[in-house]
Amino acid sequence: MDEEERQNWTLIHTPPGVEWSGRARYAAAMYFFQKGEMAAEVLEVYRICSRFDAENPLDVLRRWQIGKEWIERMENTVS
């Protein structure tokens, strides 16, 4: 894992509630999407959640029952 990828894993794991965390998570999500590692529907959830720092995109993905592979990857990846 190179430094850019490591930084994006750190950003995408930014906890909900931190100021600007939604935008940080979305920026990282765009990185993973552009690398072909995230589905467009998952990226869309991160986009929607980007304005709501307190909203956890993983909770939304679970609620909407999409992005199972991404959720598993997030749960198994430490920032």
Side-chain angles (χ1 to χ4, degrees), residues 38-56:
M38 177 185 283
E41 64 186 359
V42 174
L43 178 65
E44 180 63 9
V45 169
Y46 277 87
R47 185 194 68 76
I48 292 166
C49 292
S50 70
R51 301 274 299 166
F52 307 105
D53 294 335
E55 186 69 60
N56 185 342

Side-chain angles (χ1 to χ4, degrees), residues 26-37:
Y26 178 55
M30 182 60 75
Y31 168 84
F32 290 109
F33 174 75
Q34 289 177 340
K35 287 184 65 177
E37 298 179 17

Side-chain angles (χ1 to χ4, degrees), residues 6-21:
R6 189 176 349 274
Q7 288 176 347
N8 280 288
W9 276 116
T10 298
L11 287 174
I12 206 146
H13 280 288
T14 304
V18 175
E19 189 173 0
W20 290 93
S21 61

